[in-house]
Amino acid sequence: MDAVIFKGPFEVAVERRPKPEIIEPTDAIVKVRVSGICGSDLHAYRGHQKTEGGYIMGHEFVGTVVKTGGDVKVFGPGDNVVSIFSPCCMKCWYCLQGLTNRCTFGAAFGFKALDGGQAEYVRIPHADGTLRHAPTGLDDPLLIMMADIFPTGYYAASRAIEALHTQKLSRLTSFPKDSSTSTDLQSLTADSVLVCLGCGPVGICAIAAARSKGIKTIFAVDSVRDRLDEARDLGAIPLQLGADDIGEHVRAATEGRGADGVIELVGNQEALRSAFDLLRPAGVLSSVGFHQADLPFTGLECYLKGLTVSFGRVPVATVFDAALECLKENEKALRHYVTHELPLAQAKEGYQLFEQHKARKVILCV
Amino acid sequence: MDAVIFKGPFEVAVERRPKPEIIEPTDAIVKVRVSGICGSDLHAYRGHQKTEGGYIMGHEFVGTVVKTGGDVKVFGPGDNVVSIFSPCCMKCWYCLQGLTNRCTFGAAFGFKALDGGQAEYVRIPHADGTLRHAPTGLDDPLLIMMADIFPTGYYAASRAIEALHTQKLSRLTSFPKDSSTSTDLQSLTADSVLVCLGCGPVGICAIAAARSKGIKTIFAVDSVRDRLDEARDLGAIPLQLGADDIGEHVRAATEGRGADGVIELVGNQEALRSAFDLLRPAGVLSSVGFHQADLPFTGLECYLKGLTVSFGRVPVATVFDAALECLKENEKALRHYVTHELPLAQAKEGYQLFEQHKARKVILCV
């Protein structure tokens, strides 16, 4: 079969590889229809994440089940599916806690440990936990968002909003004069001011999710004009890095306090420091960016700000249903999000376009 | 009047000072009956927190209102009160959000900006928000805990438990097969394994609060044997720094995973690093320690662990009622917590005893 192989920094190639076979009875084989190129593929592509080459790339894919192992109960040949970006067994302690991103058997598709889905076929470990039946009415360019970027954006936004909700709830518990006030998440957090740092694909999904959850004021920060246009179309206030005074805009919207929450999706020290500086005292930071360096704030700064911060990636299986509902609500706005549909053979060009910000989202059609 | 004056590192003195007067119409003057020495007084006392001397120390005190400004509505002369450790106006944006620790007019008692309560009298700004009527049936050694250490410990524990609750709730939302399961905080978090790093006064209060909230397994870590005895009496499992292999005990209790939550109350890099290492993936860290140095973990470590961490101090006004209920539940266990009641004139000795861990808790009787 044809497969996209990572050769080294800025080098991918379509090569012939053997078709994958069932290894464990919990495996399934999926014939891939469409595979996405994700921002996190660029960590390896750009050489930021050191990794030996030779494996099949890609952790976003949709397709059809063609073969299943003897222990697969939920799926069978012919099923139209989307895969979560890393396997989850749904049986280990972490999966049973809903921390499916920490599954004992977890290993992201598209790295050395587990071949990915930018290929004609892909082997799915723990298929019953890892796959999801494709919902009717969602075409592939939207469906593929459910493999990673939409749940990731949804989670990044939800985590910030839930932390603000918890903060607000404690006030209501102690000041019962407000007992007529609704305690639901949307009522309590709608007036919170959020900043989304980074408006690539995940940022766009985070903004869509935050809007669906009722947040009225979201500042969208990026350097790429096209991304800011997309963010504006979703109802965010675009601010361009290098052109706009981000802090000034955020302070003007908050009587000088700073943002209630920041969603950080960039993954470098500068972005994380901006996030910290943009937050008001006791603000909340949801960081999904893949950070490699030291944290750019001291213990004293964290103490004095009263910071709450969450790091790390999404448990897709746990948020899947809620995220899917949210994606459907935003279907119209996200319908044209995929700007480039290329044949698998043009994977190299796809990576180049995406890496150079010449494409919003690239998918490879097998 | 007599007052305890901070002179410089390891030096306090009882000196004569003018009695405070009403300055603002929202002020009250309190005649102090008992004033506590708190662990956070030691930051300045030990010279870790650089501060010019000359002010009256102390932010824990109970006493009787003797005079009020024209705008004070809730309190009048003769009222028996406990004061929150820093003023809160209950009118600014932060106070109205329940973030009373961030009150626009907030400034801790017992520092340069605001004279403290280790004195015969103390001026209370924003008295209607800052003071609380002393509940009946609570004698001074327990009541004074409500100024700072009990709400602080309560908050440190609650913050960790609430974050674990949020984590567990998201599982229930997505796996509705468990719909018979109760979603309340206690049902969902009782089996969580917590570690309390630092078992000084605040640690003891945090352990009491975590036990009251139903947590069954709490490891109490300290180097001081007497503190560990107290922690054990409250139902925690004592582990002595330097003698016990802390990580080994925690892993043995969690099938090798690590703690679900860590409450960190020490305030140095070593403790914060231990907290990080003791946590399981996606664990939660509640840090109340006053940190001055860099954070001892990298962005990559935070991302890979999926860490959630909250820093900073308690909004006492917001948690006061709930913390008071919790204190009452633990009244019997905490009744003998104050080991030294000294006259104000012996403040110097009191600081020495406390600083050298020869006293659990010292209060100064005026």
Side-chain angles (χ1 to χ4, degrees):
Chain A
M1 66 171 186
D2 284 338
V4 180
I5 308 297
F6 180 64
K7 309 295 284 182
F10 297 96
E11 205 188 340
V12 300
V14 177
E15 297 182 353
R16 296 295 289 176
R17 288 294 159 106
K19 273 170 67 172
E21 293 295 337
I22 299 284
I23 299 173
E24 302 288 339
T26 47
D27 288 351
I29 305 296
V30 166
K31 184 174 192 319
V32 178
R33 197 164 55 244
V34 167
S35 183
I37 300 178
C38 178
S40 53
D41 289 322
L42 298 182
H43 295 305
Y45 183 78
R46 287 175 173 153
H48 299 161
Q49 187 178 0
K50 303 295 170 215
T51 157
E52 214 184 316
Y55 54 82
I56 302 175
M57 299 186 79
H59 57 267
E60 300 179 341
F61 47 91
V62 301
T64 307
V65 174
V66 291
K67 204 183 286 184
T68 54
D71 290 350
V72 176
K73 309 284 181 219
V74 182
F75 297 93
D79 284 354
N80 185 14
V81 294
V82 57
S83 173
I84 293 171
F85 66 77
S86 72
C88 42
C89 71
M90 302 311 273
K91 285 176 183 156
C92 72
W93 186 88
Y94 288 100
C95 281
L96 292 176
Q97 298 284 317
L99 302 166
T100 57
N101 52 331
R102 313 300 315 204
C103 173
T104 307
F105 302 97
F109 285 103
F111 285 96
K112 197 80 193 174
L114 182 62
D115 274 332
Q118 291 171 5
E120 291 181 66
Y121 296 88
V122 55
R123 181 180 71 90
I124 314 293
H126 301 283
D128 278 347
T130 310
L131 296 176
R132 288 292 177 282
H133 288 289
T136 50
L138 221 54
D139 57 9
D140 286 346
L142 281 168
L143 181 58
I144 203 167
M145 285 187 160
M146 288 303 299
D148 181 348
I149 64 170
F150 201 86
T152 297
Y154 177 87
Y155 179 67
S158 300
R159 212 163 48 169
I161 296 168
E162 280 171 9
L164 289 168
H165 185 228
T166 301
Q167 201 173 79
K168 295 248 185 177
L169 268 184
S170 60
R171 172 179 66 96
L172 292 187
T173 317
S174 44
F175 304 154
K177 288 162 202 164
D178 292 307
S179 61
S180 65
T181 311
S182 168
T183 59
D184 73 68
L185 186 134
Q186 186 153 339
S187 309
L188 285 182
T189 60
D191 289 327
S192 298
V193 173
L194 294 190
V195 176
C196 183
L197 288 183
C199 300
V202 174
I204 293 300
C205 294
I207 290 166
R211 292 287 292 173
S212 283
K213 285 179 179 284
I215 303 290
K216 294 178 206 151
T217 308
I218 306 164
F219 289 100
V221 179
D222 207 295
S223 57
V224 181
R225 195 66 246 177
D226 175 61
R227 292 174 166 188
L228 293 175
D229 292 343
E230 182 75 13
R232 194 198 51 228
D233 290 348
L234 280 163
I237 303 160
L239 295 175
Q240 191 163 23
L241 268 178
D244 294 314
D245 185 332
I246 319 290
E248 189 55 37
H249 282 275
V250 173
R251 285 190 296 274
T254 54
E255 301 170 320
R257 290 185 299 273
D260 299 300
V262 176
I263 302 164
E264 183 276 319
L265 303 160
V266 181
N268 64 35
Q269 279 189 315
E270 201 182 343
L272 206 52
R273 180 69 215 189
S274 292
F276 186 91
D277 291 336
L278 289 170
L279 281 174
R280 66 159 163 80
V284 303
L285 170 53
S286 175
S287 168
V288 176
F290 181 61
H291 291 279
Q292 311 239 16
D294 286 341
L295 296 176
F297 26 79
T298 67
L300 184 60
E301 287 176 313
C302 292
Y303 178 88
L304 293 177
K305 178 148 279 188
L307 179 70
T308 292
V309 50
S310 293
F311 295 92
R313 65 193 204 192
V314 53
V316 178
T318 296
V319 306
F320 193 89
D321 291 349
L324 179 61
E325 279 312 300
C326 186
L327 176 65
K328 285 177 179 169
E329 284 172 32
N330 289 279
E331 193 180 333
K332 206 174 151 194
L334 297 172
R335 176 167 293 282
H336 304 293
Y337 193 68
V338 172
T339 47
H340 293 70
E341 301 192 25
L342 303 177
L344 189 69
Q346 290 181 34
K348 188 173 177 144
E349 188 188 342
Y351 271 89
Q352 285 168 350
L353 285 167
F354 188 54
E355 196 274 326
Q356 293 162 15
H357 299 153
K358 290 178 182 163
R360 278 183 189 169
K361 181 77 182 172
V362 179
I363 58 176
L364 305 171
C365 303
V366 184
Chain B
M1 67 170 187
D2 283 339
V4 179
I5 308 298
F6 180 64
K7 309 296 284 181
F10 297 97
E11 205 188 339
V12 300
V14 177
E15 296 183 353
R16 296 295 290 176
R17 288 293 159 108
K19 272 170 70 172
E21 293 295 335
I22 299 284
I23 298 173
E24 301 289 338
T26 46
D27 288 351
I29 305 296
V30 166
K31 183 175 193 318
V32 178
R33 197 162 57 242
V34 167
S35 183
I37 300 177
C38 178
S40 53
D41 289 323
L42 298 182
H43 294 304
Y45 183 78
R46 287 174 173 155
H48 299 161
Q49 187 178 2
K50 304 296 170 212
T51 158
E52 213 184 316
Y55 54 82
I56 302 175
M57 299 187 78
H59 56 268
E60 300 179 339
F61 47 91
V62 301
T64 308
V65 174
V66 292
K67 206 183 285 185
T68 55
D71 290 349
V72 176
K73 308 285 180 218
V74 182
F75 298 94
D79 284 354
N80 184 15
V81 293
V82 56
S83 173
I84 293 171
F85 67 76
S86 72
C88 42
C89 72
M90 303 311 272
K91 286 177 184 155
C92 72
W93 186 88
Y94 288 100
C95 281
L96 292 176
Q97 298 284 316
L99 302 167
T100 57
N101 52 332
R102 314 300 316 203
C103 173
T104 306
F105 302 98
F109 285 102
F111 285 96
K112 197 80 193 174
L114 183 61
D115 275 332
Q118 292 171 4
E120 292 180 67
Y121 295 89
V122 55
R123 181 179 72 89
I124 314 293
H126 300 284
D128 278 347
T130 310
L131 296 176
R132 289 294 178 278
H133 288 288
T136 50
L138 221 55
D139 57 9
D140 286 346
L142 282 168
L143 181 58
I144 203 168
M145 286 187 159
M146 287 303 300
D148 180 349
I149 63 170
F150 201 85
T152 296
Y154 177 87
Y155 179 67
S158 300
R159 211 162 49 168
I161 296 167
E162 280 170 9
L164 290 168
H165 184 228
T166 301
Q167 200 172 81
K168 296 248 184 176
L169 269 184
S170 60
R171 171 179 67 96
L172 292 186
T173 316
S174 43
F175 303 154
K177 287 163 202 163
D178 292 307
S179 61
S180 64
T181 311
S182 168
T183 59
D184 73 67
L185 186 134
Q186 186 154 340
S187 309
L188 285 182
T189 60
D191 290 328
S192 297
V193 172
L194 295 189
V195 176
C196 184
L197 287 184
C199 300
V202 174
I204 293 301
C205 294
I207 290 167
R211 292 287 291 172
S212 283
K213 284 177 179 286
I215 303 290
K216 293 178 206 152
T217 308
I218 306 164
F219 289 100
V221 180
D222 207 294
S223 57
V224 181
R225 196 67 246 175
D226 174 61
R227 293 175 166 188
L228 292 174
D229 292 343
E230 182 74 13
R232 194 198 50 228
D233 291 348
L234 280 162
I237 302 160
L239 294 176
Q240 191 163 22
L241 268 178
D244 295 313
D245 185 333
I246 318 290
E248 191 54 39
H249 282 275
V250 173
R251 285 190 296 274
T254 54
E255 299 169 322
R257 289 185 300 272
D260 299 299
V262 175
I263 302 163
E264 183 275 319
L265 303 159
V266 181
N268 64 35
Q269 279 189 314
E270 201 183 343
L272 207 51
R273 181 69 216 188
S274 293
F276 186 90
D277 291 336
L278 289 169
L279 281 174
R280 65 158 163 81
V284 303
L285 170 53
S286 174
S287 169
V288 176
F290 181 61
H291 291 278
Q292 312 239 14
D294 286 341
L295 296 175
F297 26 80
T298 67
L300 184 60
E301 288 177 312
C302 292
Y303 178 88
L304 293 177
K305 178 148 279 189
L307 179 70
T308 292
V309 50
S310 294
F311 295 93
R313 64 194 204 193
V314 54
V316 178
T318 296
V319 306
F320 193 89
D321 291 349
L324 180 62
E325 279 312 301
C326 186
L327 177 65
K328 284 177 180 169
E329 283 172 31
N330 288 279
E331 192 180 335
K332 206 174 152 194
L334 297 172
R335 175 166 294 283
H336 304 293
Y337 192 68
V338 172
T339 47
H340 293 72
E341 301 191 26
L342 303 177
L344 189 69
Q346 290 181 34
K348 188 174 176 142
E349 188 188 342
Y351 270 89
Q352 285 168 350
L353 285 166
F354 189 54
E355 196 275 327
Q356 294 161 15
H357 299 153
K358 290 177 182 165
R360 278 182 188 168
K361 181 76 183 172
V362 179
I363 58 176
L364 304 171
C365 304
V366 184

